[in-house]
Amino acid sequence: MASQSRPTFPARAVITGGMPYGNKNLHFGHIGGVFVPADFFARFLRDRIGKENVLFVSGTDCYGSPIMEGYRKRVEAGYEGTIVDYVRENHNAQKEALDAYGITLDLYAGSGLEPAASFHAKLTDELIRRLHEQGHLLKLSTRQFYDATAGQFLNGRQVKGRCPVRGCKSEKAYADECDLGHQFDPEELIAPVSQLTGTTPELRPVDNWYFDLPAFREELEKLMDEWDVDPQVRPVVTKTVRESLVSPVIFVQNKFREGFDTVANELPTHTLHEPTGNQQSFSVEFANWRDRDAARAVLEGAGVRFRTGKTLLPFRITGNIDWGVPAPDLEDVSGLTVWCWPESLWAPISFTQTALAIAPEGRYGSSDWHDWWCADDAAVYQFIGQDNIYFYCIAQPAMWEALDWGLFQDTPIANHHILFMNKKASSSGKIAPPMAAELLDSYTPEQLRAHWLSLGLDQKAVSFSPKAFDTSVSHKNKKTGEEVLVRDDPRVADPALKESAFLTNIFNRLARSCFYGAANACDGHLPVAEPHAEVIDEARAAALDFERCAYAFDAHGALGVAEAYGRTANKRWGDASKAAKGDDAAYDQALADAFVALRTLTLLMHPCAPWGCEQICEHLAFDPNVFFSWEHAFEGPRELAALAGESCADHAIVALPPRFDFFQKHASQMKK
């Protein structure tokens, strides 16, 4: 029997997902790894605390070098639209893909598209000025890549090389970050190449504003201590963050020891850590990033090669690319734009402001954004991929602290990667993942939602291996000798359909049995028998277990609870209905128990399989606002009818057509 203790939920909640760049449509990783888990929780929370108290917002990341580079390539191919046209086309395609999967965003905006663009630009200006007033911005002259052949500075994505961070094997690093999320200074990039001309770019000095992130190490350490004991924060978050909460270190290979010793006295105060065991390098630890950078210059001048370790560095706020949110003019620095990563961190706030401003009066419990981002009884849930932890779990919390606006810290929900056929896929890499819309040619949205939610991405990276896209060889045809691909082999089960089999078989069977049984034995009304006490207890226990899993963002566990409950209920119905043949009272009793199970199972599965569950509610003829509300989670059909002023004998249900399916298979999966 489940414990009766229940988790506490906020009075209001903002849910947001990582923002896709505006230079492409969405592939399955965007949908399955971030938006479906976020939508599952958003739908659950609307049912749990009321839809007027939940804001689910996200949008297209419209600015920055990836968009500029994508637009440049399109123009080279003959595109005649503006960069805004280009971004809007991609934004609309992203929105269509999200809609196709039933992602119920209250607002899917664009940081550079109206109506959100004006809110976003205003908030950006206010926020940067506030950081400057509070003394948390550093004006630093740093070197930026310049292509002398092209005669222009290069944006971040127009430079590629190898990541300089020790231990990172990424061969796809840009001007100041690699594709695995590591941050570094441009001069550290190994073997940089201009993507415009293929030449080696120069480094020329430019002035920019940086957020003094290292100053907040102590605050971040305290936050990690809090998150360590927070059941809603996954261990991967605090583990990843703590990797950067260390002193600045330089690693030097042992073969450069003589050169290092020659200039060691010229270095700022440091601690030398000798290699141990079979280590091929020694390390040099510094008190702060400024000393480390001064040491780098000395070592470079002496021809000593080195790599740096992770540490907190000033977080760049501005840049000088054209396509960006204008940065305010501060002191003697003007004409800058905001780097896309910082402004994407506060975009959920500007999207909240936008959603509240354009919503019909009374749509939400409060129209003041502060009540959603600053109030003690509110919460913000940020769904991200693990490679974005640095931004959302290091830079953002420190920035919120620095602003002193009363912003509480978000709850980060970091998922591991969804692999494709057991390999990491990237739309710009060697293994191209299928686009989200493309998958719907072979699967229904509910089938894929059920599968992705069951992968357990909170625990580890998991492969998505849809049979319809599996071009590996299954075997050779014994007669012809021809290779048979997995996708064409009828003997191979489809991993992507494992979870949806519960929907199309067990859940369907239970629902149809209830409706057809009531039509035949109850004259199209609810059964009048009192459900067994143990059936009511089982329903309550399942709901409580599901609620605890959902609270912890454990969709895999929540669906496991629902499936086990549904299978038990379906078997009980099968056994009881067979035993009741010829006994009308016993059949009515079995049907009453089955309807209790159907009501509970439909409530629990609603966040995963909304279309089928809402059809069940419609045929049960209950008000969905009551039926799916957790205020009535422990009330069965008898009690729901009473709320409407009806008895079971009075409450007519909607008749099902013959052979009706609430949860359907894709047309391509039907036997021919």
Side-chain angles (χ1 to χ4, degrees):
M1 176 67 67
S3 168
Q4 299 304 300
S5 62
R6 300 181 66 181
T8 301
F9 292 90
R12 284 172 307 285
V14 175
I15 298 167
T16 185
M19 296 167 61
Y21 280 130
N23 61 341
K24 64 186 72 174
N25 203 339
L26 304 182
H27 61 67
F28 82 89
H30 294 124
I31 300 286
V34 174
F35 282 105
V36 166
D39 186 67
F40 177 88
F41 188 70
R43 287 178 179 272
F44 165 76
L45 210 55
R46 290 190 188 105
D47 292 345
R48 183 65 181 78
I49 67 174
K51 62 183 180 182
E52 72 279 6
N53 297 315
V54 177
L55 258 174
F56 183 15
V57 297
S58 186
T60 302
D61 197 349
C62 295
Y63 296 110
S65 57
I67 287 83
M68 289 185 67
E69 185 65 4
Y71 175 66
R72 181 184 69 82
K73 291 179 179 178
R74 279 287 301 277
V75 170
E76 286 181 350
Y79 184 71
E80 296 181 354
T82 66
I83 193 168
V84 176
D85 295 332
Y86 169 72
V87 170
R88 184 178 288 110
E89 288 176 11
N90 288 315
H91 167 78
N92 291 340
Q94 292 172 0
K95 181 65 166 62
E96 289 177 8
L98 292 165
D99 289 344
Y101 282 91
I103 309 301
T104 51
L105 286 150
D106 292 277
L107 177 72
Y108 189 69
S111 55
L113 303 173
E114 295 297 349
S118 298
F119 288 92
H120 190 60
K122 182 175 185 293
L123 177 64
T124 297
D125 186 88
E126 293 172 349
L127 189 146
I128 293 176
R129 290 184 186 278
R130 174 69 173 179
L131 290 176
H132 184 259
E133 291 168 1
Q134 294 287 97
H136 298 305
L137 290 187
L138 305 172
K139 183 175 67 172
L140 300 176
S141 179
T142 57
R143 293 187 290 172
Q144 184 171 330
F145 286 111
Y146 182 86
D147 188 323
T149 302
Q152 68 178 70
F153 280 102
L154 302 175
N155 65 54
R157 291 300 174 105
Q158 290 176 333
V159 182
K160 286 187 181 179
R162 299 198 307 275
C163 181
V165 174
R166 183 173 182 264
C168 181
K169 298 180 181 180
S170 174
E171 296 288 330
K172 187 185 291 183
Y174 303 106
D176 49 17
E177 63 172 326
C178 75
D179 62 342
L180 298 180
H182 296 138
Q183 304 294 298
F184 46 82
D185 291 328
E187 53 261 40
E188 295 182 83
L189 182 66
I190 299 171
V193 176
S194 168
Q195 298 304 290
L196 296 185
T197 63
T199 60
T200 300
E202 303 173 4
L203 282 165
R204 296 189 178 183
V206 292
D207 286 340
N208 271 298
W209 290 106
Y210 287 73
F211 171 57
D212 190 6
L213 181 57
F216 291 86
R217 176 174 169 177
E218 183 177 342
E219 286 82 355
L220 288 169
E221 288 173 340
K222 290 178 180 177
L223 180 61
M224 292 311 105
D225 291 340
E226 295 174 12
W227 279 357
D228 274 336
V229 296
D230 188 335
Q232 289 190 305
V233 178
R234 293 169 178 167
V236 67
V237 171
T238 53
K239 177 182 180 294
T240 303
V241 171
R242 282 198 167 94
E243 290 173 356
S244 293
L245 302 185
V246 294
S247 298
V249 173
I250 285 176
F251 297 91
V252 182
Q253 288 184 329
N254 296 333
K255 64 182 179 181
F256 293 105
R257 181 58 181 265
E258 184 177 346
F260 173 84
D261 289 341
T262 301
V263 296
N265 290 335
E266 301 176 31
L267 302 179
T269 302
H270 60 275
T271 301
L272 180 67
H273 298 284
E274 298 289 357
T276 59
N278 295 322
Q279 288 183 339
Q280 300 299 307
S281 61
F282 59 94
S283 61
V284 189
E285 181 180 330
F286 298 90
N288 55 65
W289 65 271
R290 292 182 186 275
D291 286 351
R292 190 204 69 170
D293 281 5
R296 281 171 42 194
V298 173
L299 294 177
E300 286 172 354
V304 176
R305 294 176 60 184
F306 58 86
R307 299 194 85 168
T308 54
K310 296 180 182 179
T311 192
L312 295 181
L313 295 172
F315 186 61
R316 182 158 65 92
I317 297 295
T318 63
N320 60 355
I321 67 172
D322 295 332
W323 179 238
V325 183
D329 294 343
L330 300 173
E331 300 179 13
D332 58 343
V333 182
S334 62
L336 300 178
T337 54
V338 182
W339 185 37
C340 63
W341 260 116
E343 48 100 357
S344 72
L345 300 181
W346 57 76
I349 299 179
S350 65
F351 291 167
T352 298
Q353 295 172 334
T354 306
L356 295 174
I358 66 176
E361 187 174 353
R363 165 65 180 86
Y364 298 105
S366 172
S367 58
D368 184 345
W369 75 269
H370 295 88
D371 289 338
W372 300 81
W373 284 86
C374 305
D376 291 339
D377 59 352
V380 175
Y381 301 100
Q382 182 91 49
F383 284 77
I384 58 174
Q386 67 176 108
D387 51 351
N388 291 336
I389 288 175
Y390 183 89
F391 299 103
Y392 289 102
C393 305
I394 297 179
Q396 187 190 72
M399 206 175 296
W400 275 202
E401 185 76 21
L403 286 168
D404 195 24
W405 276 353
L407 294 163
F408 52 75
Q409 298 300 343
D410 304 358
T411 299
I413 303 97
N415 275 341
H416 290 269
H417 295 293
I418 294 187
L419 308 177
F420 182 62
M421 303 298 176
N422 289 306
K423 297 180 180 178
K424 185 177 179 181
S426 169
S427 54
S428 57
K430 295 180 180 178
I431 303 172
M435 303 307 290
E438 185 183 2
L439 288 170
L440 297 180
D441 292 335
S442 302
Y443 303 93
T444 70
E446 286 186 321
Q447 287 178 327
L448 292 171
R449 286 173 65 99
H451 180 60
W452 288 330
L453 289 169
S454 296
L455 290 179
L457 294 171
D458 57 314
Q459 300 295 323
K460 60 181 180 179
V462 182
S463 179
F464 174 52
S465 303
K467 180 183 175 182
F469 291 79
D470 193 340
T471 57
S472 63
V473 176
S474 170
H475 65 281
K476 285 189 177 182
N477 187 300
K478 291 183 179 180
K479 294 182 179 180
T480 65
E482 294 180 353
E483 292 182 339
V484 178
L485 303 183
V486 169
R487 69 182 181 190
D488 300 322
D489 189 343
R491 302 174 303 176
V492 177
D494 191 340
L497 295 180
K498 180 177 180 290
E499 293 76 18
S500 65
F502 170 71
L503 296 175
T504 55
N505 295 327
I506 305 298
F507 199 174
N508 250 335
R509 189 179 305 135
L510 180 64
R512 297 200 312 185
S513 297
C514 286
F515 286 109
Y516 291 142
N520 294 329
C522 306
D523 196 26
H525 295 81
L526 291 173
V528 298
E530 182 79 29
H532 282 116
E534 60 267 26
V535 170
I536 295 173
D537 289 343
E538 285 179 12
R540 180 181 180 86
L544 290 171
D545 286 343
F546 184 97
E547 181 184 55
R548 277 187 286 275
C549 289
Y551 173 81
F553 316 110
D554 179 10
H556 171 80
L559 295 185
V561 168
E563 181 171 341
Y565 173 71
R567 289 185 181 278
T568 298
N570 190 64
K571 185 178 186 305
R572 180 174 57 234
W573 158 254
D575 294 342
S577 59
K578 287 179 183 178
K581 283 188 177 179
D583 185 338
D584 292 346
Y587 188 84
D588 193 70
Q589 178 68 64
L591 204 55
D593 290 344
F595 265 98
V596 169
L598 178 64
R599 181 273 182 280
T600 298
L601 186 58
T602 305
L603 172 68
L604 302 188
M605 291 299 294
H606 184 226
C608 170
W611 295 285
C613 290
E614 287 165 10
Q615 277 191 309
I616 291 174
C617 175
E618 181 182 338
H619 281 81
L620 285 170
F622 287 123
D623 179 353
N625 293 317
V626 175
F627 184 86
F628 290 114
S629 170
W630 275 70
E631 288 186 17
H632 307 288
F634 308 123
E635 296 168 355
R638 171 183 294 269
E639 291 76 24
L640 294 178
L643 286 174
E646 299 174 322
S647 68
C648 289
D650 295 329
H651 185 82
I653 59 179
V654 178
L656 283 190
R659 303 175 66 84
F660 184 81
D661 287 324
F662 289 101
F663 306 97
Q664 298 182 357
K665 297 180 179 180
H666 192 273
S668 65
Q669 299 159 13
M670 301 297 184
K671 292 183 179 179
K672 298 179 181 178

